[in-house]
Amino acid sequence: MNVRRTILTLAALSVVAACDSGPSGPGTLSATVSGPASLGAVLLEVTGAGVQGFVGQGGTRVYGAQVSAVDGTHRVLALTADGGPLRVGIEVLDLGAEPPIVMVLKAASTENLMLLNAGVTVVVAKP
C-alpha cells in the first residue's frame, strides 16, 4: 500500500512540475486603459520591480519617467487622437515575475475634459 501511495504521489508531483506558469525572461506586458468616454490621455503610475521602459501600442504615444528607484515607481503619459482604449507596452526584465501595479492618476477625454478616475480601468496582460 505504501509503494502504491508513493508512486501516485510521484506521478502527481510530475504533473505539477510539468505545469508552466507562462513565459519567463525579458518581454513586454500589454496594459489596456479604457473609460466611459473617448480617452485622449491618461497619466499612470506604474510600480514594480524589473520595469525597464514603456512603448506605445496601436495609435497610442507614450512618455515615461522613473520617479523612484527604491520601489520602481514610474509615471507614464499615454496619448491618442483616436479616442477609445489606450494601449501601453510595459517592458519588464521577467515576464514570469509578478506584474507591476498600474494606477490611473488623471484621465482626459479627446475634447480635453478631465474625467473622473472611477470609470477608467486598466487591464495588464502577458503575451
Side-chain angles (χ1 to χ4, degrees):
M1 192 64 143
N2 284 339
V3 173
R4 182 176 181 196
R5 184 176 294 162
T6 302
I7 291 172
L8 289 175
T9 302
L10 289 175
L13 289 174
S14 299
V15 169
V16 171
C19 292
D20 187 11
S21 64
S24 62
T28 304
L29 300 170
S30 294
T32 303
V33 185
S34 55
S38 292
L39 291 175
V42 292
L43 178 62
L44 304 172
E45 183 171 88
V46 179
T47 304
V51 175
Q52 298 298 297
F54 306 91
V55 294
Q57 297 177 329
T60 305
R61 299 185 91 179
V62 174
Y63 305 92
Q66 187 173 34
V67 294
S68 173
V70 175
D71 61 358
T73 300
H74 296 77
R75 296 275 166 85
V76 180
L77 179 62
L79 308 159
T80 184
D82 302 335
L86 295 143
R87 290 177 172 64
V88 177
I90 304 171
E91 297 172 336
V92 294
L93 284 176
D94 186 6
L95 290 170
E98 189 71 27
I101 297 168
V102 182
M103 294 183 355
V104 177
L105 299 179
K106 300 279 184 183
S109 70
T110 52
E111 293 82 28
N112 291 328
L113 299 173
M114 293 300 293
L115 300 173
L116 295 176
N117 294 352
V120 182
T121 60
V122 180
V123 176
V124 179
K126 294 181 180 182

